[in-house]
Amino acid sequence: MAAKKVVIGGGTGFVGQRLGELLKLHQYEILNVSRMPGVNNISWSNIKKTGLPLNTYAVVNCAGQQFMDFTKSWSPGFKQNVHNSRVYTTQALADAINKHYKDKKPVAYVVITGVGAYEPSDDKRYDEASPAATGTDFFSKLVVEWENAAKVDPPVRLVIIRSGAVLGRWGGMIKNMFMPFYLGMGGPIGSGKQFLPWIHIDDLVRLIHFAIENPEVKGILNGVAPQVITNEEFTKAFAKALNRPAFLPVPELFLNLLLNPERAMIMTKGQCVVPKKVEDYGFKYKYPHIEDACKEFSHLFPKKT
Ligand SMILES: NC(=O)c1ccc[n+]([C@@H]2O[C@H](COP(=O)([O-])OP(=O)(O)OC[C@H]3O[C@@H](n4cnc5c(N)ncnc54)[C@H](OP(=O)(O)O)[C@@H]3O)[C@@H](O)[C@H]2O)c1
């Protein structure tokens, strides 16, 4: 039997690469949509001009300019890049799906967005039925446009995974904070009391695979671990896994000055997000607890697999 082909926008990134590895283990064939040439890559202009490959089984979008790239200032041009790299790529894949041959449509379109869809709050609890923010800050406005760009016609199942901070050794938040924590210079951000919705990278890619494979899965999913934690609780768990102290708080004012308050709010504010629908569908987490997740990525060098 021919391998099932999955087209992954941003398949070269932290999430996309790990997803590709998992899907290959399950006998899928992977094709990345990328700005860079490569053996398994096609370009975005190719997707726009010629559409999806004929026998595409599913499409996933994990593309997006990293907004926590500390080498880039929070300028209007950079913000536009953060926006366009998500909204336009999501739209380009949705258009390609909608234009694809009627009887050869992919089974699912899975788009990874963020928990920025929910307004930061110290007391609200958000499950998938909760109303999303109406777009008052940069990130919630972005998520509204991003998710609107994902619309695909039936029978293609649209699954939007609103991901929390993706925790893994080689990307996202952990890549940025590994060294300070490893050197014993880590600490909570601001008061540390803000919620930190999180998911281990292995669970996020397993959830994407689950969404592709299960015909009943559709709509919004909260891509977060079931254990709700604060930034302070994460700090303690990560420091413990590294066997280091973490007593050096990072003042909110310092982050605001360094990153711009609009961008810093991703770290200084949070929301309590629970994966109710994910658990109702019967998805089982490999890393439901932060202590176990932190143990998995608290190593300096690549682990032998
Ligand atoms: N990591 C997290 O903690 C986290 C949390 C919530 C949501 N998410 C979302 O999940 C998605 C994947 O995250 P990630 O951590 O895997 O990101 P990543 O490692 O930065 O990879 C994203 C990929 O997007 C592509 N990309 C970057 N800039 C682009 C641009 N200007 N135009 C088109 N494509 C561009 C790149 O592919 P090429 O260089 O091959 O073009 C890159 O490999 C993102 O949309 C992110 O917002 C991530």
Side-chain angles (χ1 to χ4, degrees):
M1 207 174 67
K4 293 173 180 171
K5 185 174 289 174
V6 179
V7 171
I8 310 178
T12 57
F14 171 48
V15 174
Q17 263 188 35
R18 189 62 155 254
L19 175 65
E21 286 163 14
L22 177 80
L23 292 179
K24 280 184 206 158
L25 283 178
H26 289 272
Q27 322 311 325
Y28 286 86
E29 188 187 326
I30 302 308
L31 188 66
N32 299 321
V33 191
S34 168
R35 293 163 303 166
M36 306 299 285
V39 186
N40 277 328
N41 296 3
I42 54 169
S43 67
W44 288 101
S45 55
N46 206 295
I47 280 288
K48 279 180 196 148
K49 271 189 230 144
T50 53
L52 294 175
L54 253 191
N55 52 345
T56 300
Y57 183 74
V59 179
V60 182
N61 196 20
C62 307
Q65 166 73 51
Q66 244 184 65
F67 40 77
M68 281 303 170
D69 181 342
F70 301 134
T71 64
K72 306 256 172 42
S73 68
W74 194 239
S75 63
F78 182 64
K79 283 165 67 174
Q80 194 173 45
N81 204 359
V82 166
H83 173 277
N84 294 356
S85 61
R86 289 171 172 75
V87 178
Y88 291 1
T89 56
T90 298
Q91 181 80 62
L93 289 170
D95 288 347
I97 291 169
N98 289 334
K99 284 182 197 151
H100 204 58
Y101 300 97
K102 205 172 156 201
D103 54 344
K104 292 197 165 52
K105 297 265 188 199
V107 296
Y109 182 29
V110 184
V111 180
I112 314 307
T113 68
V115 289
Y118 305 110
E119 189 189 351
S121 166
D122 292 336
D123 46 30
K124 287 185 187 147
R125 189 178 168 90
Y126 299 106
D127 65 27
E128 291 88 343
S130 307
T134 43
T136 45
D137 60 82
F138 173 81
F139 290 104
S140 65
K141 277 186 206 153
L142 170 61
V143 180
V144 170
E145 283 192 55
W146 194 358
E147 296 185 351
N148 281 338
K151 299 278 172 337
V152 281
D153 305 326
V156 183
R157 277 183 299 117
L158 175 61
V159 182
I160 291 179
I161 301 184
R162 292 178 174 160
S163 175
V166 184
L167 305 187
R169 175 67 184 90
W170 308 108
M173 178 177 129
I174 300 301
K175 189 178 173 192
N176 282 336
M177 51 173 60
F178 192 87
M179 271 309 171
F181 271 76
Y182 187 77
L183 297 173
M185 294 164 70
I189 290 173
S191 70
K193 304 286 179 231
Q194 68 278 27
F195 290 113
L196 174 61
W198 67 282
I199 186 165
H200 188 282
I201 183 145
D202 286 354
D203 279 330
L204 179 60
V205 299
R206 289 175 61 249
L207 182 59
I208 298 171
H209 178 223
F210 180 85
I212 293 173
E213 287 285 292
N214 288 284
E216 75 278 15
V217 176
K218 56 172 126 52
I220 303 288
L221 297 181
N222 286 341
V224 294
Q227 185 192 19
V228 173
I229 61 168
T230 61
N231 174 273
E232 189 176 40
E233 286 162 339
F234 161 77
T235 302
K236 282 189 185 147
F238 190 30
K240 189 174 168 205
L242 286 166
N243 206 12
R244 298 288 191 276
F247 299 129
L248 291 174
V250 186
E252 188 170 335
L253 184 66
F254 171 75
L255 282 179
N256 285 344
L257 289 172
L258 185 75
L259 301 173
N260 184 301
E262 197 173 45
R263 166 158 65 170
M265 73 171 278
I266 287 288
M267 294 193 275
T268 57
K269 301 196 179 342
Q271 50 285 88
C272 171
V273 183
V274 291
K276 181 174 184 310
K277 196 167 148 193
V278 172
E279 294 198 299
D280 287 349
Y281 276 135
F283 179 76
K284 298 279 175 257
Y285 288 82
K286 192 169 162 191
Y287 297 102
H289 302 293
I290 192 65
E291 287 77 14
D292 296 330
C294 285
K295 275 187 209 148
E296 192 283 324
F297 51 73
S298 294
H299 52 87
L300 185 57
F301 297 111
K303 284 198 293 195
K304 284 190 185 139
T305 46

